[in-house]
Amino acid sequence: MGSLRIRVVEDAHELGRAGADLVAEVIAAAPTAAIVVATGRTPMGLYAELAARRRSGVLETKAISAVQLDEYLGLEPDDRRSLFGWMHRSFLEPLGVRDDRVIRLPLDGDLEGACAAFDRGLEARGALDLAILGLGRNGHLGFNEPPSDAGSSTRRVELSSSTIEANARYYDGGRPPATAVTLGMRQLLSARAIVLVVSGSSKRTIVRRALEGPVGPAVPASFLQQAGGDVTVIVDRAAWADGRAS
Ligand code: F6R
């Protein structure tokens, strides 16, 4: 089994810096690292910090591969509300990751077959080097909604009403689609390293349940307690209310 480290930082700004340090370490050790890229608000400071380091010439990111974590179904390919659009604006473009180094989820056709082929392709490349993840208020990782077990593969999912509500604020005031594709728990949990970033008081209860509660499908993020690789949770004080770990 791997290790689980909890790092408590002062605020969202420090979270971005600490997260970028970790990602930069992975890239320094493996310049062609395959990295899973979450969207959502929490990792945005981390991505901005990586972009700043790249601009100042201390970080080279052009050889990495970026792996899409999740995507809504039913959008036009160029819809800027897509998670790919968000990933492009916040990560791929600022870090200079070319299209041929982006591993995108299948979104149409025979999805079951396409997702199985996607997972086989990913496994053939070897373990993912790093997964950058955020935590859903319901304990999801990517769009692995509860209940999701540790062995679940890349697949089509129905989003819970809590996720649809939480993501409406990122959806130009509209209602995001209710179906999506997510990288499976199996793919995430077998990454060599995982960094989970958690910020804000709305995540207080769920982060404790995920890291200190019973491990099981009701809180998919709880499986991080048993992940094979090195898991680092970077959590700010607002989310880690009493600051017991450091
Ligand atoms: C986004 C994703 C989601 C978010 C999670 C937290 O690609 O996979 O699991 O990471 O919902 O979102 P924020 O950071 O906005 O609270």
Side-chain angles (χ1 to χ4, degrees), residues 72 140 143 145 157-164 167 176-180:
Y72 296 119
H140 73 205
F143 278 152
E145 299 278 57
V157 287
E158 302 290 329
L159 298 177
S160 67
S161 48
S162 114
T163 296
I164 294 172
N167 288 1
T179 54

Side-chain angles (χ1 to χ4, degrees), residues 23-24 27-28 30-32 50 53-55 57-64 95-96:
V23 176
I27 297 174
T32 60
L50 289 176
R53 292 183 193 189
R54 173 175 182 249
R55 280 196 304 275
V58 294
L59 179 70
E60 179 54 84
T61 46
K62 68 169 189 250
I64 64 170
L95 295 182

